[in-house]
Amino acid sequence: SLLKRLMYTQLFYNCSALGFESSMTIGKDKLSPLGIIQQQAAKWSERYGNLGTMYTPVALLHDFYAGWTFPRHFYSDDVYRVWGNLPYADSDYLTDGLLNLIYPGYQDASYYRDERGFIAPTPYGDVADCLLSDAPIWLLRQYPVVIVADELQHSAEVKDKLEAYVEAGGRLVITAGSLRNMPEGLFGITAQGNDTISSTEVVCGNRNISEGQPFALARLCYPQKARVISRCGKMAAAVELSSGKGSLLVLASPFGVGFEAQKPLPVR
């Protein structure tokens, strides 16, 4: 049942290639249950044809040299690794957190010995694509919202491209961890250093939010026309600036993670 649901989910995503890797037959002449599912899916696709382009209005932007992968799976006992063997950096946990926001519990897929995580809830819909920072400007402009989901390395080309994206009408969200790699910042907004925050509440509009652990905020420098939409004590926690037809939202948190280690993973 799960594999059949996954097969048709891929069809509805309008994937260009999909299917199971093996176990299509029993012996030489008889289709297995997996083979029957795949045969029926092929007939369904022939009957209904192309479903059209999947609508994904949000792009999660990663650095071109990012080696991020899912935090855990049954292919290895090592967890939270990039490039196969390097521990997650703070920026990698940002990527994981954003994907978990869109697909809650996705990390459980292919880790526990049950079906959890494979078909995750989608409270915001299947709204996001993942792109690398070498994506051309014409491609970025197809997304109303671009969220920098990783640590972007310093690049004048990327800086110019992000500013052009905003000027053309896009909404860009970036954390201080990537912004401080751009010496001139974006539209005059720069991020420097880190201050440790231990107990102060974060105020956003009419909401007061208490964090459960110490965290860091970078010191943001911004033009007078920028609007501070969130504060932590006297520090700006989030700043928004309109430019051209679009807007830039800067979060002072380097990568949205605290200082304390998380609880150990449960034993399988």
Side-chain angles (χ1 to χ4, degrees):
S1 175
L2 172 65
L3 291 174
K4 185 174 182 178
R5 289 180 65 192
L6 291 173
M7 170 68 77
Y8 282 90
T9 296
Q10 293 179 78
L11 278 172
F12 297 153
Y13 284 169
N14 201 22
C15 294
S16 58
L18 61 148
F20 304 114
E21 294 181 358
S22 58
S23 303
M24 296 295 104
T25 61
I26 300 175
K28 294 183 179 180
D29 303 319
K30 183 179 179 181
L31 287 175
S32 69
L34 289 183
I36 294 173
I37 291 173
Q38 186 145 314
Q39 183 186 63
Q40 291 174 342
K43 292 180 179 179
W44 189 95
S45 182
E46 291 174 357
R47 178 178 180 182
Y48 294 103
N50 191 316
L51 298 181
T53 302
M54 183 178 175
Y55 180 59
T56 48
V58 177
L60 301 182
L61 189 65
H62 304 257
D63 190 75
F64 178 75
Y65 292 104
W68 188 88
T69 190
F70 307 115
R72 56 196 187 200
H73 47 72
F74 68 75
Y75 294 109
S76 171
D77 292 331
D78 292 329
V79 297
Y80 295 94
R81 294 290 188 270
V82 297
W83 294 114
N85 59 359
L86 299 178
Y88 264 30
D90 287 350
S91 58
D92 299 310
Y93 285 104
L94 171 63
T95 303
D96 173 57
L98 286 170
L99 288 175
N100 190 57
L101 185 69
I102 300 171
Y103 303 103
Y106 85 98
Q107 304 100 327
D108 294 337
S110 187
Y111 181 73
Y112 293 98
R113 298 184 184 277
D114 56 27
E115 298 178 356
R116 75 182 84 175
F118 281 98
I119 297 182
T122 53
Y124 307 102
D126 292 306
V127 297
D129 286 336
C130 290
L131 302 180
L132 297 180
S133 58
D134 67 332
I137 184 63
W138 65 261
L139 179 58
L140 290 180
R141 286 174 178 168
Q142 296 187 46
Y143 297 90
V145 177
V146 171
I147 301 174
V148 176
D150 184 30
E151 181 176 7
L152 296 182
Q153 300 304 313
H154 172 60
S155 168
E157 178 185 1
V158 172
K159 166 187 164 59
D160 291 345
K161 185 162 48 179
L162 293 180
E163 290 186 339
Y165 165 77
V166 171
E167 293 280 357
R171 179 170 176 80
L172 175 66
V173 181
I174 189 170
T175 65
S178 289
L179 184 64
R180 65 187 175 197
N181 290 340
M182 303 177 186
E184 298 179 358
L186 292 172
F187 298 109
I189 301 179
T190 60
Q192 298 176 350
N194 283 329
D195 285 355
T196 301
I197 310 298
S198 57
S199 59
T200 305
E201 288 186 327
V202 178
V203 179
C204 184
N206 296 324
R207 298 180 60 194
N208 290 9
I209 304 168
S210 297
E211 292 288 342
Q213 60 173 305
F215 59 98
L217 289 181
R219 295 182 293 276
L220 299 180
C221 297
Y222 46 88
Q224 289 185 349
K225 64 179 181 179
R227 183 170 67 96
V228 178
I229 61 176
S230 178
R231 288 189 178 275
C232 186
K234 296 182 179 180
M235 296 187 66
V239 173
E240 187 175 40
L241 175 68
S242 296
S243 184
K245 299 179 180 179
S247 65
L248 167 67
L249 175 62
V250 177
L251 305 178
S253 173
F255 298 108
V257 296
F259 290 143
E260 298 178 1
Q262 299 298 305
K263 294 180 180 179
L265 294 174
V267 178
R268 286 187 285 182

